[in-house]
Amino acid sequence: MHPSLQIAAKDLRQRARDRSAFLLAIVVPFTLAAIFSLLFGPAATPRAFEYAVVDQDRTGVSQAFTEEVLGALHEQGVAEVSELDEEQARTGVRDGDLDAAFVLPRGFAADVASPRPAELRVVGSADAPTATVVARSVARSYVGGLDAARVAVAAVGASRPGLTAAEIERVAQETVHGVPPVALEDASATARVLDVKTYFAAAMAVFFLLFTVQFGVSSLIDERGEGTLARLLAAPVPRWAILVGKLLTSVVLGIVSLTVLMVASALMLGADWGDPVGVGLLVVAGVLAGTGITSVIASLARTSEQAGTWQAVVAVTLGLLGGSFFPVQQGGEMIANLSLVTPHAWFLGGLGDLAGGGGAEQALPSAAALLGMAAVTMGIALLRIRKVVAP
């Protein structure tokens, strides 16, 4: 067996017996992903509002509000609407069974078509302030359309003073009936965005990736302190083979960690990762980039404690900038630009491209960027090999 493979196999056996590595690579990121998915997923999604409508007028104007406005809210899942009488509606609001009720009194359409004031009442629950505000906004929007119709009717009456009351009433009914109550448009995002479960599973996986891959390259410093590195240097083993073996340990740990997390999150959390080939490309490229970054840090440190501290600082900083805790778009243009120097942003961005549909080719730009990071960082680590493996 090649010396690099022997070194990697020995390190992997040691890590397989190390429970802390197992916890940090799989258990902790999966647990956090599950918690974040619960906090910002279904548990944070507001339920549909419970509304009631009391139509005492039973005219075309009142039915337009019930069927078109409230019907649209029901179709979009915003509210559940039931038709009740006024006493039942007020009791439901008072007892907390309903969030709000709309009351259209008798003569509502006639009042709208006349100079008399018209009234659309909203009865809201004190325990459901958000639902009440939404109900008032819906009512105001509908009433605003009716007000515009009333202004049109008044203008017709003023410009044609010879119209009889019956003719003005007819014009009013036609105008009011022709007003679209509320325009509701479904503006669902068509951008390539991960769903909540997949996003947090991927974010936690790539965040802890830098902690996982450090077990391979950081063991160089541990072996130097324990004296085993001197034995390796005395053996007929090229120095580059030692570093390659350590890098291979990190790569294997990283790939296994991400693969287990992806399979577990798909089966237990319902995450949707997209095209398997594209995901595989991103996993390999992301692990190589993370391994390169940690190997550079290890080559700069003198002690294992120093390496661990530096790697933790870098991992947390890159995780914050790369979107492991919040989408980078929320941080503004500067944060979005800074995120491009992190493997986290490219990994999550590549998964987002796969979520938009298409095959593995959608992940190629992000995978290429990650491989570029890996080439640069691993090149720097190889250039510093003499200091890393110095006796």
Side-chain angles (χ1 to χ4, degrees), residues 68-213:
E68 298 180 34
V69 179
L70 299 184
L73 295 179
H74 174 74
E75 290 176 2
Q76 295 186 0
V78 176
E80 295 292 334
V81 183
S82 56
E83 290 196 42
L84 304 173
D85 60 41
E86 186 169 3
E87 182 178 355
Q88 290 175 326
R90 289 185 178 275
T91 301
V93 171
R94 183 178 62 251
D95 295 343
D97 298 328
L98 295 172
D99 297 318
F102 302 90
V103 179
L104 294 91
R106 292 183 179 85
F108 177 74
D111 291 340
V112 169
S114 70
R116 299 187 301 273
E119 183 181 56
L120 192 164
R121 297 192 294 271
V122 175
V123 182
S125 171
D127 297 327
T130 302
T132 301
V133 170
V134 172
R136 289 173 179 169
S137 299
V138 170
R140 288 194 183 100
S141 178
Y142 179 69
V143 170
L146 295 180
D147 286 340
R150 299 180 74 180
V151 171
V153 171
V156 169
S159 62
R160 300 172 64 183
L163 289 177
T164 64
E167 290 173 326
I168 292 177
E169 180 76 12
R170 178 181 57 79
V171 173
Q173 291 289 349
E174 292 177 354
T175 306
V176 170
H177 217 39
V179 173
V182 177
L184 295 175
E185 181 180 356
D186 186 3
S188 300
T190 57
R192 296 171 177 177
V193 179
L194 295 171
D195 61 81
V196 173
K197 295 178 181 179
T198 309
Y199 173 80
F200 282 111
M204 291 299 98
V206 72
F207 175 73
F208 281 94
L209 175 64
L210 266 67
F211 292 95
T212 301
V213 297

Side-chain angles (χ1 to χ4, degrees), residues 12 21 34 64 105 114 157 171 190 199 201 208 230 246-247 249 278 302 310 336 338 341 355-356 371 385 387:
L12 289 173
S114 70
V171 173
T190 57
Y199 173 80
F208 281 94
K246 299 299 183 181
L247 293 177
T249 301
R302 296 183 178 180
W310 289 358
L338 288 174
V341 302
L371 290 175
I385 182 121
K387 292 185 178 181

Side-chain angles (χ1 to χ4, degrees), residues 180-255:
V182 177
L184 295 175
E185 181 180 356
D186 186 3
S188 300
T190 57
R192 296 171 177 177
V193 179
L194 295 171
D195 61 81
V196 173
K197 295 178 181 179
T198 309
Y199 173 80
F200 282 111
M204 291 299 98
V206 72
F207 175 73
F208 281 94
L209 175 64
L210 266 67
F211 292 95
T212 301
V213 297
Q214 74 178 357
F215 288 119
V217 293
S218 296
S219 64
L220 272 173
I221 303 174
D222 294 331
E223 293 199 19
R224 184 170 59 185
E226 295 170 358
T228 54
L229 181 59
R231 296 182 181 181
L232 285 175
L233 293 174
V237 177
R239 291 189 176 186
W240 62 264
I242 299 174
L243 182 58
V244 170
K246 299 299 183 181
L247 293 177
L248 186 58
T249 301
S250 295
V251 171
V252 173
L253 286 173
I255 292 177

Side-chain angles (χ1 to χ4, degrees), residues 272-292:
D272 183 9
W273 296 98
D275 182 83
V277 177
V279 173
L281 289 174
L282 291 173
V283 167
V284 173
V287 169
L288 291 175
T291 301

